[in-house]
Amino acid sequence: GMQSHLQALLSLYKLFCPEQLTITLSGKMKTYFKNSEGPWKAAITAVRQRNQGGSPLSQAVFLGTSKPQSRKRKWNAQFVIPASSTNTNNLQEVRGKNRVCLYSTNMSFPVEQLQTFPQLLQNIHRLEFPSQMGSVLTNPLLLHYMNCVKDESIYLRLYYWMGQMLQEECTWCVVENRNEEEFKSFLETIYKAECFLQEGFSACEEFLYKTLPLWDGFSCRAEVLRLVSWIPLSSFSDIKPYLYDPLAQLFFTSSIYFKCSVLESLKELLQNWLNCNVIQLDSELSS
C-alpha cells in the first residue's frame, strides 16, 4: 500500500521528474510524520508571544506545526539560473570549438546562455530548464517560453516547488517565522509572473485556499490581496467556503482601508475572469 514515507519519497521524485512517474499522487501538499502535538505547542507559543509583547507580527495568531529551516543561502538564491549539470561538459567543449555548434539540432541549448529573444526563437525546441525552477519566475524569456510551449512537466515542477516554498515560508502559518519582508518579496515575485503570464498558478491558488482561514488580515496584506485577484475561474459553491467566507470575517471586523482593499482585489479578480473568458470565446470562434 501507499505508506507515508513512500509518498514523501515519490513526491520528491515527482518534483524533479514528474513525467517519469506512472502513478498518481495526491495533488495536495501533505506534512509527513506530523506531530499531533504541533498545533497545541504552536498555540501556546503564540499566546506567550502575545503576552510578552513585541512587534505586530509576533502578536498575530500562529497555527503552524513546524519551524522554518535555517537557511545559510540568500533568499533570492533560487531565482538565479544555475548552470545545468547536464550541459556543463557540453559548454566546456563548445567554448573550445566553433560557437556555431550551439545551434546544432542534436544538442540542447544551455538555458544560462539565453540572453535575447532571437536566441529564444532559434532554440525554442531545444531548451532545457534549470534545476532551480524558481529562476523561471524572474526571467521574461523563460516565461515567454512557458506561454508558447505548453510543457506539462515544466508546470508540474513549478507547481510542486512553489507549493513547498509557500508552505514552508508562510509567516502566519509557521511558528516563529519572522522573515516577513522576504516572504513579501517572494509573493510579489509570484504576482509579477502571474501578471506576465496573464494566469494564476494552481499552487498559489491552493495556498490561498488553505491559509486564508488562518490569515490575520495584517501580514503581507497587499501581496495576499494581489494574489487573490488571479485565482482561476470556478463555480461559486467551490470558491465561497475557501475565499469569500474567510474574507467576509475579516471584512466586517476591519478598518475602512482594509474593506476598500478587499473590494479592489475582488474587482480586479472579476476583470481577470472577464478577460480570460473573452480570450477563450475568441479562440473557440476562430477554431
Side-chain angles (χ1 to χ4, degrees):
M2 291 302 294
Q3 302 179 29
S4 59
H5 57 278
L6 292 179
Q7 288 190 11
L9 181 61
L10 288 174
S11 64
L12 183 62
Y13 276 91
K14 196 167 186 177
L15 175 64
F16 291 98
C17 300
E19 70 282 358
Q20 295 187 9
L21 283 186
T22 58
I23 63 174
T24 302
L25 298 177
S26 175
K28 297 182 180 179
M29 301 301 298
K30 294 182 179 180
T31 302
Y32 298 95
F33 312 109
K34 185 177 180 181
N35 186 357
S36 60
E37 298 180 356
W40 287 105
K41 291 182 179 179
I44 293 173
T45 302
V47 172
R48 288 176 178 172
Q49 292 174 349
R50 185 169 63 249
N51 292 338
Q52 292 174 359
S55 63
L57 181 61
S58 65
Q59 298 175 4
V61 179
F62 295 92
L63 296 176
T65 59
S66 62
K67 295 183 180 181
Q69 299 177 353
S70 60
R71 299 188 304 272
K72 295 182 180 180
R73 59 171 173 78
K74 289 185 177 180
W75 169 258
N76 62 353
Q78 65 269 18
F79 295 139
V80 178
I81 297 179
S84 175
S85 57
T86 59
N87 286 324
T88 303
N89 295 331
N90 292 336
L91 280 176
Q92 298 297 331
E93 295 177 2
V94 166
R95 291 192 180 104
K97 299 178 181 179
N98 192 343
R99 290 189 177 272
V100 177
C101 65
L102 276 176
Y103 297 93
S104 61
T105 57
N106 59 354
M107 174 179 177
S108 61
F109 185 80
V111 70
E112 65 272 13
Q113 298 292 316
L114 187 63
Q115 300 293 332
T116 64
F117 194 75
Q119 281 183 324
L120 174 65
L121 296 180
Q122 293 173 356
N123 302 277
I124 195 168
H125 297 298
R126 299 191 291 110
L127 287 179
E128 181 178 355
F129 265 58
S131 57
Q132 295 179 0
M133 288 304 295
S135 59
V136 177
L137 298 178
T138 56
N139 191 302
L141 294 176
L142 296 182
L143 291 176
H144 273 303
Y145 177 86
M146 289 182 61
N147 255 340
C148 297
V149 180
K150 299 299 182 181
D151 189 342
E152 184 179 359
S153 64
I154 295 176
Y155 282 92
L156 283 174
R157 288 180 59 193
L158 193 60
Y159 165 78
Y160 284 108
W161 173 84
M162 187 182 298
Q164 192 68 28
M165 290 293 295
L166 289 170
Q167 177 178 320
E168 292 179 355
E169 306 297 339
C170 180
T171 54
W172 62 88
C173 290
V174 179
V175 180
E176 296 181 0
N177 193 342
R178 297 292 188 273
N179 301 316
E180 184 177 13
E181 292 302 320
E182 294 180 349
F183 190 58
K184 280 184 178 181
S185 176
F186 182 46
L187 297 182
E188 184 68 21
T189 300
I190 295 176
Y191 171 72
K192 291 179 179 178
E194 289 182 333
C195 292
F196 188 95
L197 296 172
Q198 290 295 292
E199 62 177 334
F201 294 110
S202 56
C204 187
E205 178 189 13
E206 292 183 8
F207 164 75
L208 290 174
Y209 288 163
K210 182 179 179 180
T211 60
L212 280 179
L214 308 177
W215 186 44
D216 58 5
F218 177 81
S219 304
C220 308
R221 175 191 297 167
E223 291 75 20
V224 170
L225 293 179
R226 289 194 189 105
L227 294 179
V228 167
S229 66
W230 280 109
I231 290 178
L233 176 63
S234 56
S235 64
F236 178 77
S237 60
D238 294 336
I239 292 180
K240 183 179 183 299
Y242 301 107
L243 176 64
Y244 296 138
D245 289 348
L247 289 179
Q249 293 180 3
L250 294 171
F251 185 87
F252 293 114
T253 59
S254 299
S255 64
I256 296 294
Y257 177 79
F258 181 83
K259 290 180 171 66
C260 293
S261 300
V262 172
L263 293 177
E264 178 69 17
S265 177
L266 295 179
K267 185 198 74 170
E268 294 178 357
L269 175 63
L270 179 60
Q271 289 177 342
N272 292 332
W273 283 354
L274 292 174
N275 291 334
C276 180
N277 193 34
V278 169
I279 293 174
Q280 290 179 353
L281 288 177
D282 289 343
S283 61
E284 291 175 359
L285 291 176
S286 61
S287 61

